[in-house]
Amino acid sequence: MTRTNTLEPSLSIVLVTYPVESDYLAWCRSIINRRLAACVNIVKVNSIYWWKENIEESDEVLLIFKTTRDKAESLKEVVMREHPYEVPEFIEIEADKVGEAYLKWVIDSTREKK
């Protein structure tokens, strides 16, 4: 059943684009290994955008991270420090209607191992 969750912390979905020619798989694995996210979905996209007064087009991957709101700030710090773009995309969407079993899995997957 999906309802407003009663567990804390809550789920955050983080969107980050990444250049397709870079080793995004290794980077995503390292983020999962550091327990900054429970999961990442990788979607190939073609982006068209303004950059330095020009319209650019590039092949990218859209990384969709599932994490907790508590871990989202640490994830943001890693993205800003390690991402190859001068201005990396970081969009956090807070989800308050999440299946409790899924949210528990995200919380458990991002918890530091003892």
Side-chain angles (χ1 to χ4, degrees):
M1 178 165 118
T2 302
R3 59 187 171 85
T4 302
N5 75 66
T6 57
L7 299 173
E8 286 298 328
S10 300
L11 181 79
S12 283
I13 298 166
V14 174
L15 308 177
V16 177
T17 51
Y18 207 88
V20 74
E21 67 275 357
S22 298
D23 193 0
Y24 58 87
L25 289 175
W27 190 63
C28 289
R29 283 187 192 101
S30 83
I31 287 172
I32 299 297
N33 191 49
R34 289 180 265 180
R35 298 192 171 275
L36 296 174
C39 169
V40 59
N41 301 118
I42 301 167
V43 182
K44 292 191 177 185
V45 296
N46 183 266
S47 298
I48 301 171
Y49 52 93
W50 279 105
W51 182 246
K52 298 186 178 181
E53 301 303 318
N54 293 303
I55 296 177
E56 301 287 337
E57 185 171 342
S58 58
D59 291 328
E60 297 178 301
V61 288
L62 174 60
L63 307 175
I64 306 167
F65 292 98
K66 285 25 163 285
T67 191
T68 63
R69 289 182 190 168
D70 292 345
K71 291 283 184 149
E73 189 59 34
S74 296
L75 177 58
K76 181 179 183 180
E77 290 170 9
V78 167
V79 169
M80 296 305 156
R81 183 175 59 246
E82 298 179 0
H83 198 285
Y85 286 166
E86 184 179 330
V87 181
E89 174 183 6
F90 186 94
I91 299 172
E92 180 182 355
I93 302 166
E94 296 179 349
D96 23 331
K97 293 187 180 177
V98 180
E100 286 199 21
Y102 186 82
L103 179 58
K104 182 180 181 325
W105 172 76
V106 171
I107 292 167
D108 291 345
S109 297
T110 56
R111 187 171 287 137
E112 298 298 321
K113 291 293 179 184
K114 296 178 183 178

